[in-house]
Amino acid sequence: MNQKPLAPIEPAVRSSPIDTPVTFTPVDWNNKRLFTLFWPLIIEQLLVVMIGIVDMVMVSSVGEHAVSGISLVETINFLIITAFNAIATGGSVVASQYLGRREEKKASGSARQLVYISLIISIALMIITLITKRIMLKSIFGNIADDVMNAADTYFLFIALSYPFLALYTTAAAMFRSMGNSKVPMRAVIILNIFNIGANALLIYGLKLGVAGAAISTFAGRFLTAVLLIYLLVKDKTRIINLSGLFKIKLDKEMIKRILNIGIPSGLESSMFQIGKILITRIFTAFGTAAIAANAVGATINSIAFMPGSGFGMGLLIVAGQCIGAGDYSAAKRYTKKIMILSYLTYLFININIFIFMKPIISIFNLSAEAGELCILFLRVHCVTSTLFWCPSFVLPNALKAAGDAKYVMIVAGCTMWIIRVCLAFLLAFTFGLGPVAVYLAMGADFLFRGIFFTKRWLSNKWKEKKVI
């Protein structure tokens, strides 16, 4: 399928306060273009993490019951967000491949179908959550103190109402990234952070609404960013991907099938991963408060370290998708290699700094001496194993998904998560008596085996046999 390199796609966008024109050549992503794509993605991922941190800090003034209630809801909410991201991943792959083929109308058609199915799924999840939210909380977390349950119930109400807007934002952001324009979602998240801080200050501190104030702030922020991004895609019909004709609703079963063929396996993969992580946290509870606190701090530090890698993964999905859509498999392999090298170098830089400044960073959290020593042990194991194995296990599979090989990724991720990470963690922790550090050792083993399977699959070229569009 040798083709001549595609000519650059001329910018088909107009400027606005949040939007700047972006041009790209699907099979010719030079270093400048890659840099333009990736730095906003990395900043966006870091800002997304900051939203949750700011919420927890600001609502902590209400009391421990408020923090506990919100944290319970967020555990469930993360699974919902995972579902929306998975559907958006399917839409990104389909749209990117159409752009690689220079079929902009079909790319826009896939964007409209993505909006429809995201709304349908999010409204269904909203209704189910509103009806069963207390039942969910009790069945997952057992007996909960009344004040914590009331806080969780209040927060869950507004969060559930925001699901359609969260789905719309996720969908629109994915389409901007598919066009190579990652600055728009980044700017939207900046606006969301500023709005969230201001609204929290007014509603929590000013109007004394407590948990309800934090929930209303989150709802309003999601509404604002969703409307803003959808408006930008609807208003300009000359945009490479646009949502013109969005309100003339017409479902395209074949297009929806293409999106869900990527989205459903991606969603199952992410859901199994999150459920496995929740199950493993029980190991820390078995070893006392110090282990729980040490893991909480370690997980927070690691989550920030993961964000640049997540940005590289999202970018790889777009770059590889456009190359594969154009039939330029050599370019897909070339850019995948380049992005993997960038990911490794970035992650190496981050982990070296965590390793060097580990004690000062941990001291910020005021841990006990026992918890601090455990946290240092956890981070040392994690810095070594993740530096070596995280990129091929979590960045590389995005190239496979871009080719339509999402089912293979799902099967490998599910097997390594449950057979290696979960089972090995319990075996090492209790049977071999290694204690809570067993979780981090098993995590490293999971990274290793995922990376082996994904690298082998990529080098085998079997992903070239897959067909998305």
Side-chain angles (χ1 to χ4, degrees):
M1 296 183 69
N2 294 325
Q3 295 184 6
K4 294 180 179 180
L6 298 179
I9 296 176
E10 294 300 322
V13 296
R14 298 173 188 152
S15 297
S16 73
I18 192 173
D19 194 7
T20 53
V22 174
T23 63
F24 59 87
T25 308
V27 292
D28 186 21
W29 287 82
N30 58 39
N31 291 337
K32 182 179 179 181
R33 188 168 290 121
L34 287 173
F35 179 77
T36 302
L37 174 68
F38 282 119
W39 77 259
L41 280 173
I42 293 170
I43 297 298
E44 179 193 351
Q45 295 305 298
L46 291 170
L47 289 172
V48 167
V49 173
M50 289 303 299
I51 293 173
I53 294 173
V54 168
D55 273 352
M56 294 297 286
V57 170
M58 296 185 77
V59 85
S60 64
S61 64
V62 179
E64 288 186 0
H65 70 283
V67 175
S68 299
I70 290 176
S71 66
L72 295 182
V73 174
E74 286 302 311
T75 302
I76 301 172
N77 195 42
F78 199 83
L79 290 173
I80 303 296
I81 293 173
T82 295
F84 296 152
N85 286 337
I87 297 168
T89 296
S92 290
V93 170
V94 173
S96 296
Q97 288 208 12
Y98 276 126
L99 289 182
R101 286 191 178 191
R102 305 298 295 274
E103 296 183 46
E104 291 88 351
K105 288 186 178 179
K106 288 187 177 181
S108 294
S110 70
R112 289 192 293 273
Q113 297 305 311
L114 181 60
V115 170
Y116 299 148
I117 60 176
S118 295
L119 271 178
I120 291 169
I121 292 171
S122 62
I123 290 172
L125 287 171
M126 178 188 72
I127 293 170
I128 292 170
T129 301
L130 290 174
I131 294 172
T132 65
K133 61 184 190 300
R134 275 192 173 255
I135 297 172
M136 268 196 278
L137 289 166
K138 288 183 178 179
S139 61
I140 294 173
F141 301 108
N143 293 325
I144 305 171
D146 290 340
D147 56 351
V148 174
M149 174 59 80
N150 290 334
D153 186 64
T154 300
Y155 190 74
F156 219 167
L157 170 64
F158 291 97
I159 294 301
L161 290 171
S162 76
Y163 285 163
F165 303 110
L166 176 60
L168 285 175
Y169 164 77
T170 305
T171 294
M175 291 304 99
F176 275 106
R177 297 186 197 107
S178 296
M179 291 186 279
N181 193 338
S182 55
K183 290 182 181 179
V184 170
M186 178 195 71
R187 290 169 179 164
V189 175
I190 291 173
I191 292 172
L192 179 57
N193 270 271
I194 295 171
F195 176 86
N196 194 53
I197 292 171
N200 274 346
L202 173 64
L203 298 175
I204 297 174
Y205 301 145
L207 299 180
K208 307 295 183 183
L209 294 181
V211 172
I216 293 170
S217 173
T218 300
F219 172 87
R222 288 176 176 177
F223 173 83
L224 173 67
T225 50
V227 170
L228 177 61
L229 293 193
I230 292 294
Y231 171 74
L232 289 174
L233 288 172
V234 170
K235 72 154 187 170
D236 194 346
K237 297 179 182 179
T238 63
R239 196 181 300 278
I240 298 168
I241 294 180
N242 63 77
L243 293 176
S244 62
L246 178 67
F247 303 107
K248 298 177 182 178
I249 300 173
K250 184 179 180 181
L251 298 179
D252 183 336
K253 292 183 181 179
E254 286 301 314
M255 191 70 79
I256 291 173
K257 183 179 179 181
R258 293 185 188 109
I259 293 170
L260 293 181
N261 279 341
I262 305 295
I264 290 176
S266 297
L268 290 173
E269 170 210 340
S270 300
S271 297
M272 287 189 292
F273 181 76
Q274 295 304 324
I275 292 169
K277 283 180 67 177
I278 292 171
L279 181 61
I280 286 176
T281 58
R282 296 190 177 189
I283 292 177
F284 296 105
T285 63
F287 289 95
T289 304
I292 297 171
N295 178 60
V297 172
T300 300
I301 295 170
N302 290 334
S303 68
I304 296 172
F306 285 147
M307 289 304 102
S310 298
F312 280 115
M314 294 170 71
L316 177 57
L317 189 79
I318 305 306
V319 174
Q322 289 182 6
C323 293
I324 292 166
D328 194 343
Y329 292 103
S330 62
K333 296 185 77 170
R334 184 170 66 254
Y335 292 123
T336 297
K337 181 180 179 180
K338 179 181 284 190
I339 292 167
M340 286 297 296
I341 291 171
L342 290 172
S343 302
Y344 259 114
L345 291 175
T346 303
Y347 209 51
L348 176 63
F349 173 78
I350 292 170
N351 274 345
I352 286 175
N353 279 279
I354 291 176
F355 208 93
I356 293 172
F357 302 106
M358 194 178 296
K359 290 185 178 180
I361 293 171
I362 293 173
S363 67
I364 297 171
F365 296 91
N366 296 316
L367 293 175
S368 67
E370 181 184 359
E373 289 301 316
L374 276 175
C375 190
I376 289 172
L377 178 60
F378 295 164
L379 287 176
R380 282 176 177 167
V381 172
H382 192 266
C383 282
V384 173
T385 57
S386 61
T387 299
L388 294 173
F389 311 127
W390 191 86
C391 292
S393 61
F394 286 95
V395 178
L396 183 59
N398 286 283
L400 296 174
K401 291 178 185 179
D405 209 4
K407 289 182 181 178
Y408 179 84
V409 174
M410 176 193 71
I411 292 169
V412 169
C415 289
T416 60
M417 180 68 190
W418 288 91
I419 296 174
I420 298 176
R421 187 182 296 203
V422 175
C423 293
L424 185 61
F426 279 93
L427 186 67
L428 293 177
F430 300 110
T431 304
F432 289 93
L434 295 183
V437 73
V439 173
Y440 284 80
L441 292 171
M443 192 186 306
D446 179 23
F447 295 162
L448 170 62
F449 282 95
R450 280 178 193 247
I452 289 172
F453 280 108
F454 292 146
T455 301
K456 185 177 179 181
R457 182 73 166 188
W458 181 252
L459 294 176
S460 74
N461 292 324
K462 289 184 179 179
W463 49 274
K464 293 182 180 180
E465 302 169 7
K466 303 298 176 179
K467 184 178 179 181
V468 175
I469 59 176

